[in-house]
Amino acid sequence: MKKHLCILVCLMLMGAVAQTQIHAPSLPTKQAELLTWKTYSIKHEQISALFPTHPAMTSTQRHLKSLNKWCTDRMIGAYADGVVYGIYIFENPETKQALEGFIGDQSGYHKWEASTKRSVKVAGVDGTEYSTSLDEKMPETVQFISANERLYKFTATGAPPDDPGVKQFFASIALDKKKGIEVSDGPGL
């Protein structure tokens, strides 16, 4: 008797779970999620961009011996759907490091495919883009520009350049302080 009662209860629970799954709302597609991205502006900087979630930010100090000056660099990033979206800002004072030199310095950390190099405009400023597919599971697109006494590196890691989220992120970058949610040092969501 106990055995039959236990089987009956299990069947009723399975039916309830199945019924719930039939009526459960479907998850929004990635395309629909693009509409939920918000504009974030970076505290102490003249830049804003769309991010899928509230981004984290870390500011660090770097000493330029040639100018005997401390510079502030910032890393801003958010993660969604297996993709990391990042903005790296490097103060570029009076010495005005050339963009190509900056790209060369950055390429020591990454191996972008030279054949993917192309000219781009980011927020109306001429820049350079690279992408890589050395690891099929971890494609990366990176764009570089120099503006406002800053060197900028924008990255999307985890999706190819034609991914709708990647395209939206790069297209949203603005070099003015648009109204948006202000990001300061601290963890994201």
Side-chain angles (χ1 to χ4, degrees), residues 54-58 183-188:
H54 189 93
M57 183 170 103
T58 301
V183 177
S184 55
D185 283 327

Side-chain angles (χ1 to χ4, degrees), residues 88-103:
Y88 300 82
I89 304 168
F90 300 88
E91 200 172 338
N92 190 25
E94 296 88 19
T95 58
K96 301 282 188 207
Q97 180 182 12
L99 185 59
E100 288 303 317
F102 174 62
I103 294 170

Side-chain angles (χ1 to χ4, degrees), residues 44 69 99 101 111 133:
H44 305 299
K69 179 179 178 175
L99 185 59
K111 300 297 179 204
S133 58

Side-chain angles (χ1 to χ4, degrees), residues 53-67:
T53 61
H54 189 93
M57 183 170 103
T58 301
S59 297
T60 58
Q61 295 291 307
R62 165 178 55 95
H63 188 259
L64 286 178
K65 291 179 186 176
S66 61
L67 296 175

Side-chain angles (χ1 to χ4, degrees), residues 30-31 34 37 85 162-170:
K30 192 169 182 183
Q31 276 298 92
L34 293 176
W37 289 33
Y85 301 93
D162 61 349
D163 177 83
V166 171
K167 290 167 105 175
Q168 177 169 286
F169 171 69
F170 286 122

Side-chain angles (χ1 to χ4, degrees), residues 148-178:
N148 305 328
E149 294 192 352
R150 303 281 189 272
L151 292 163
Y152 296 94
K153 178 173 114 178
F154 307 102
T155 64
T157 306
D162 61 349
D163 177 83
V166 171
K167 290 167 105 175
Q168 177 169 286
F169 171 69
F170 286 122
S172 75
I173 297 166
L175 292 178
D176 56 2
K177 193 97 172 183
K178 284 190 174 179

Side-chain angles (χ1 to χ4, degrees), residues 78-148:
Y79 174 86
D81 298 316
V83 183
V84 178
Y85 301 93
I87 298 176
Y88 300 82
I89 304 168
F90 300 88
E91 200 172 338
N92 190 25
E94 296 88 19
T95 58
K96 301 282 188 207
Q97 180 182 12
L99 185 59
E100 288 303 317
F102 174 62
I103 294 170
D105 290 347
Q106 295 294 307
S107 67
Y109 303 108
H110 301 279
K111 300 297 179 204
W112 298 297
E113 296 174 19
S115 64
T116 66
K117 179 181 179 180
R118 69 182 190 104
S119 295
V120 292
K121 279 212 181 280
V122 180
V125 177
D126 291 330
T128 302
E129 177 183 280
Y130 289 93
S131 58
T132 184
S133 58
L134 295 176
D135 180 351
E136 291 177 15
K137 295 178 184 175
M138 198 57 64
E140 179 178 49
T141 304
V142 60
Q143 295 181 348
F144 299 95
I145 62 168
S146 177
N148 305 328

